[in-house]
Amino acid sequence: MAKKSGKDSASTVAEPYENARTGTSVASLKQAILDNLYYVQGSLPEIASPNDWYMAVAYAVRDRMVAHFVRARSNLRDPKVKLASYLSAEFLMGPYLGNNLLNLGITDQMRAAVKELGLELDEVLAWEEEPGLGNGGLGRLAACYMDSLASLNVPAIGYGIRYEFGIFEQEIRDGWQVEKTDKWLRLGNPWEICRPELAYDVNFGGHTESFRDEKSRHRVRWVPQHVAKGIGYDTAVAAYRNDIVDLLRLWKSEAVESFDFQAFNVGDYYKAVNEKVISETVTKVLYPNDEPEIGKTLRLAQQYFFVSCSLQDMIHLHRLRGGSIETFHESFAVQLNDTHPSIAVAELMRLLVDEHLMDWDSAWKITQQTMAYTNHTLLPEALEKWPLPLFSSLLPRHTQIIYEINHRFLDEVRLRDPGDDERVARLSIIDESGDKYVRMAHLASVGSHRINGVAALHSDLLTKTVLKDLYDFYPDRFLNVTNGVTPRRWIALSNPGLASLLTKTIGDAWIKNLQYEIRRIEPLVDDPGFRTEWGKIKRSNKSRLASIIKERTGIAVDPNSLFDIQVKRIHEYKRQHLNVLHIITLYNRIKKAPGQDIVPRTFIFGGKAAPGYFMAKLIIKLINSVAEVVNKDSDVAGRLKVAFFPDFNVKNAHHVYPAADISEQISTAGKEASGTGNMKFSMNGALTIGTLDGANVEIREEVGPENFFLFGLTAEEVQDLKVKGYDPRSYYESNPLLREALDQISSGHFSHGDAELFKPLVDNLLDHDPFLLLADYQSYIDCQDRVSSAYRDQDHWVRMSILNVARMGKFSSDRSIREYCDNIWNIKPVKMK
Ligand code: NBG
């Protein structure tokens, strides 16, 4: 039936519908688009706006996923199937249309269909507004994991928040970051299905009361000050070439009608309106920080809100499956993506004990067997903790439950180590060293059966630093799952040139099985024809990026120069300013000897700074200020260019990773938990310049040290230096090139003579330098010189590039998800019928 064209099927009554909605021939797709344009958008080709077209195409694609969607819902009801439930405050899914076309295998047909309608598919793709419901690595990881879960046939639900406003859009004005509201829903979202019948009440504030029920049981009742309602919105996550989808279920907060109504009846109209506003505020906006902000009640309300809706939903599904509450953990494995959802530990206890009348010990067993926790940071200041007064006023019942959990936990600690009060204080879920706080990582760890880090080094350091005491107490709970990224989006979709060369050479199995297949290109490193093609693809990706940079920034960059790229959140530990010191050093070299032969480079930066993070914003200004001077200096013309690519997001990233020659992964060793951008670059044939940090360590192991540019102190050396007493000024004083660069920044050389502008940045480096830029400076410069000389030998460079791609199989998120299934969730993929 799929073969029939729209015209043929129009002659029958039953079939046209089916065909226009499921057929994948060019003719049916074209018919489907026209139907949607007319019946959904109320438009016609002659008058259709770009958004009308986009919507019509998107609905045509969504229709082709409905059968899979329905099957996914029936999986939810099948008691034999254990579900992975990924709880994450962020899902940075990226644009859907291209990805869904790819995964469904209908890109070419769709390209032809829209062409017949007078459009270019790439244009239609560009009209999509991406859902930026995440800050960076952690949210994007959740999205890659959804793709892998579906593609591996693992039934799963991603639970999160449907923020009305996602991560802000970044504009650069006068070199500074300016934030603009992300109104991603403004033109509608064709991918989601609202499920108003999926609604759960969530309490906030108020107080608790003890009472005896009719069976004389001691019980606790939570009398809330405020109740909001969560409504579920489902988005299908397409599997790559499988007839299944998984669900992304995001919660939107609304007012509970009865509340409004009561107030309205007694004539207090404004109170009613206010209730509604408060309720709707909960899921209004994503907090744009990659580190927690202490003391934002609304943020805690968001976390509790989505966790409560999700757990209530899971219990509801478990009931629909005919399960008794005692077997909840057999239906669901819940993964806590960082501590943001860790209130789930207390909430599941509350639901089981207060609502389902289970005894504490049974409830605790179920909770621990259900939950597992992933940690994503080594920065102590990024470990989430909530001031106790704030916490208990929003969640009075959970505070009691956490005290009870803590009490029992600390009894165990005392039993094992009698007399060690300091250990007890360090392990306590409540920090009582000064003002009291609830330590969310402790809550998550105590309530989970597994705790994992996201790269080998990170998992190891966790057990020695931020989670050391917990590790000493629960050594068997800890394990590593190195992050991964999906080769579907990050190669097949975003690098079509490379993808078609790979497929032409080794077939297309690499897309589904990167881990074992991609290595098959390795022997081709000796094939000159293959190397030539490889070089051409990189060159054309660079041209594509160059023209986007020109269009968005006005800066003309030369695709023949070495593209040196650093894209990621702006953060001092990621050291974008170390990269800047290298640029200034090269600039000074040229100024001193304008005639010398240096390898031309284009430095490209991208990334957002948290709006309240002064130093990060100053780093953006510094990059743009240095760019301004360097780009217009005639001595360096044709050799150095610097560009800040504004509004780095998933959509823009598609153009960035495939165009890199060098990937900057230069965080202070021991600070970056894993990194996933490092993987995307290397998978697209960039070579890495990096420290032994996060997953860089494993990338270097895989690709071979000879295909990786290593510099800098190790995590251990960083630690030793700090213990010995680090003196950044001594580096400044003993290194004339470093001194020159820093003096130029502070004297106003890059800021029109303004010697105040960058003073906070330079002073901080000279007096504290918490991330050891000065200690790593010379090693970095020397390594960059090795990069430049390596780049002169293009043939060898291409070999290294090929070997990088050939050996990156480990970093497919499919491998990560298999490890979660085997080592944490005890879930087997379902067999396809
Ligand atoms: C980030 C780390 C990255 C890591 C991602 C995904 C947070 C809190 N952490 O190194 O900084 O790759 O998580 O694990 O966003």
Side-chain angles (χ1 to χ4, degrees), residues 65-79 81 83 155-157 193-198 232 234-236 243-247 249 313 316-317 320-321:
M65 297 165 69
V66 166
H68 310 177
F69 204 93
V70 171
R71 190 149 349 132
R73 291 186 89 193
S74 63
N75 260 338
L76 300 182
R77 307 282 178 100
D78 181 350
V81 177
L83 299 167
I157 309 184
I193 296 180
C194 176
R195 303 229 176 264
E197 75 283 9
L198 266 186
D234 285 348
T235 300
D243 292 340
I244 69 153
V245 298
D246 276 335
L247 286 189
R249 181 162 284 175
D313 192 47
H316 171 70
L317 286 167
L320 287 179
R321 296 163 148 226

Side-chain angles (χ1 to χ4, degrees), residues 137-138 141 290 338 340 376-377 454 483 573-574 672-676:
L138 172 147
L141 184 75
D290 37 3
D338 213 322
H340 318 144
H376 294 267
T377 187
V454 290
N483 284 167
Y573 85 79
K574 297 178 188 278
E672 188 70 89
S674 163
T676 44

Side-chain angles (χ1 to χ4, degrees), residues 255-273:
V256 180
E257 300 85 348
S258 57
F259 238 82
D260 286 358
F261 213 52
Q262 226 176 9
F264 196 70
N265 280 342
V266 296
D268 194 348
Y269 181 72
Y270 289 102
K271 179 162 179 282
V273 171

